[in-house]
């Protein structure tokens, strides 16, 4: 099991459990039930030190409500404020939903391993995203869009429940202009939808523009979707060591101390959330792990 974590600079690396205050400077409503919060660290030094790798997450702390893991969804090359795209799920995200621009919360991070962008060098790259799973992949899109001759084809396959829940829809044209082939599918079509209907794995099944034997695949979404995407990819000729998925479990410490996020022999906060498929495939088949 790989324990290699990408180096990010934490607001206070010596005290990774201590949250740093941050101000909400902008909120973008994305799709129903999902908004992107742009957070600016209040401390000037923490602000200038902060860096993250695509795929890493922060812990957001709301006093009186709790603390949750949220991926950083913006451009790693930008100096901040830092985007966090959040789906309203329960207690903490529901409390976050009540906040407005100018309000403060606590932030600590970044934590975890990032997507291995170095593996993309000279290869075709396929990103497979289900719903909010596009949020941790968006920094990959920003980063790889700046690569010029080092990549083969760039493909983004997105699945959503319905056309109006396709995340970051307004950016697709920009990504296409940056060289991405963007394909979308929905579970339930609306009357004016003339795109694909069905699981995102169908898009992967039909994809012919990449050389599967040499391509890299990064996948993020519901666990079952990632498992089936990996199965399809293997059938299409991908090698298991070029498939990466991002796992989720409830987190507490986020630094490998409490065991709360344990998944088989791995702690998702420390050893993941991004894992190479061949290293974790046996655990995906264990129910309730
Ligand atoms: C590494 C990592 C990165 C994440 N990145 C994002 C992100 O970018 N955007 C985002 O919106 N969410 C993300 N999440 C999920 C987010 O942490 C949870 O949705 C959040 O903790 C829910 O907290 P809550 O108190 O609002 O809901 P709770 O009251 O804890 O739960 C409400 C409902 O949601 C379910 N639930 C809670 N957590 C999860 C989860 N992790 N996966 C699936 N179902 C869950 C519960 O079972 C319950 O049914 C990430 C999680 C991890 C571990
Ligand atoms: S959240 Fe504590 S070990 Fe991962």
């Amino acid at each position: 099991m790989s324990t290699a974590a990408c180096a990010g600079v934490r607001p206070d690396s010596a005290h990774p459990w201590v949250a740093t205050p941050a101000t909400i400077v902008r909120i973008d409503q994305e799709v129903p039930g999902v908004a992107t919060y742009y957070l600016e660290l209040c401390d000037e030094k923490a602000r200038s030190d902060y860096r993250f790798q695509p795929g890493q997450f922060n812990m957001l702390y709301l006093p009186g409500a709790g603390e949750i893991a949220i991926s950083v969804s913006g451009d790693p090359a930008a100096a901040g404020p830092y985007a966090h795209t959040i789906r309203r799920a329960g207690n903490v995200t529901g409390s976050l939903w009540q906040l407005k621009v100018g309000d403060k919360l606590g932030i600590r991070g970044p934590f975890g391993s990032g997507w291995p962008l170095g593996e993309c060098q000279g290869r075709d790259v396929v990103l497979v995203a289900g719903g909010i799973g596009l949020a941790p992949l968006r920094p990959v899109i920003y980063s790889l869009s700046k690569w010029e001759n080092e990549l083969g084809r760039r493909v983004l396959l997105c699945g959503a429940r319905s056309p109006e829940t396709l995340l970051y829809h307004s950016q697709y044209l920009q990504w296409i202009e940056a060289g991405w082939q963007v394909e979308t599918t929905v579970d339930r079509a609306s009357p004016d939808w003339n795109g694909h209907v069905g699981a995102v794995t169908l898009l992967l099944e039909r994809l012919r523009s990449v050389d599967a034997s040499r391509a890299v695949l990064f996948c993020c979404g519901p666990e079952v979707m990632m498992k089936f995407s990996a199965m399809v990819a293997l059938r299409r000729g991908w090698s298991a060591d070029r498939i990466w998925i991002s796992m989720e479990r409830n987190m507490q410490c986020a630094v490998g101390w409490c065991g709360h996020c344990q998944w088989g022999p791995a702690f998702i906060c420390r050893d993941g959330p991004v894992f190479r498929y061949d290293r974790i495939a046996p655990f995906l088949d264990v129910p309730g792990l």
Side-chain angles (χ1 to χ4, degrees):
M1 183 72 57
S2 164
T3 55
C6 287
V9 177
R10 297 174 178 168
D12 184 346
S13 313
H15 305 288
W17 58 92
V18 178
T20 302
T23 308
I24 301 174
V25 295
R26 179 175 143 197
I27 303 173
D28 288 351
Q29 292 300 323
E30 301 285 1
V31 297
V34 177
T36 299
Y37 293 75
Y38 291 84
L39 307 179
E40 187 158 85
L41 300 174
C42 299
D43 179 74
E44 204 179 314
K45 168 132 181 29
R47 200 162 54 233
S48 67
D49 283 353
Y50 189 91
R51 305 276 183 287
F52 74 96
Q53 303 288 331
Q56 288 193 300
F57 66 96
N58 285 318
M59 295 298 287
L60 304 187
Y61 171 58
L62 276 82
E67 201 183 28
I68 51 170
I70 298 292
S71 310
V72 196
S73 63
D75 183 350
Y82 295 98
H84 297 74
T85 301
I86 302 175
R87 183 177 63 91
R88 187 177 182 167
N91 187 32
V92 182
T93 49
S95 301
L96 191 76
W97 213 255
Q98 310 302 321
L99 300 183
K100 24 183 216 320
V101 169
D103 287 340
K104 290 193 169 38
L105 44 70
I107 183 171
R108 57 190 183 96
F111 298 115
S113 56
W115 301 102
L117 297 196
E119 298 284 332
C120 302
Q121 192 89 33
R123 298 183 186 277
D124 292 342
V125 178
V126 179
L127 311 182
V128 183
I132 188 83
L134 184 53
L137 283 168
R138 188 167 68 159
V140 176
I141 301 175
Y142 286 127
S143 298
L144 295 187
S145 295
K146 295 180 188 112
W147 290 25
E148 284 177 1
N149 302 319
E150 307 101 305
L151 272 184
R153 290 194 65 86
R154 295 170 248 227
V155 180
L156 169 64
L157 308 179
C158 290
R161 290 204 185 123
S162 57
E164 57 285 359
T165 60
L166 277 165
L167 194 57
Y168 310 134
H169 193 242
S170 61
Q171 287 192 272
Y172 293 175
L173 191 56
Q174 198 182 318
W175 295 343
I176 291 166
E177 282 167 2
W180 289 86
Q181 175 187 347
V182 179
E183 305 276 347
T184 54
T185 183
V186 299
D187 296 338
R188 281 187 318 275
S190 53
D192 55 349
W193 175 254
N194 51 18
H196 296 284
V197 177
V200 72
T201 46
L202 290 175
L203 298 180
L204 188 58
E205 196 95 59
R206 292 174 189 153
L207 186 67
R208 291 291 173 269
S209 56
V210 303
D211 176 0
S213 69
R214 300 193 66 254
V216 168
L217 188 142
F218 295 164
C219 182
C220 189
E223 220 163 293
V224 66
M225 165 271 192
M226 294 196 288
K227 193 172 149 180
F228 280 103
S229 297
M231 282 167 56
V232 170
L234 292 174
R235 205 165 55 232
R236 290 281 326 273
W238 252 273
S239 125
D241 61 0
R242 283 202 305 281
I243 300 171
W244 303 78
I245 67 174
S246 183
M247 294 295 297
E248 277 191 14
R249 285 293 181 274
N250 279 345
M251 304 261 167
Q252 280 192 355
C253 70
V255 287
W257 292 343
C258 72
H260 209 75
C261 66
Q262 184 162 10
W263 182 55
F267 287 172
I268 290 190
C269 65
R270 184 195 62 193
D271 306 323
V274 175
F275 290 95
R276 207 172 82 183
Y277 180 73
D278 58 331
R279 294 181 174 148
I280 45 98
F283 310 116
L284 282 171
D285 288 328
V286 182
L289 191 66

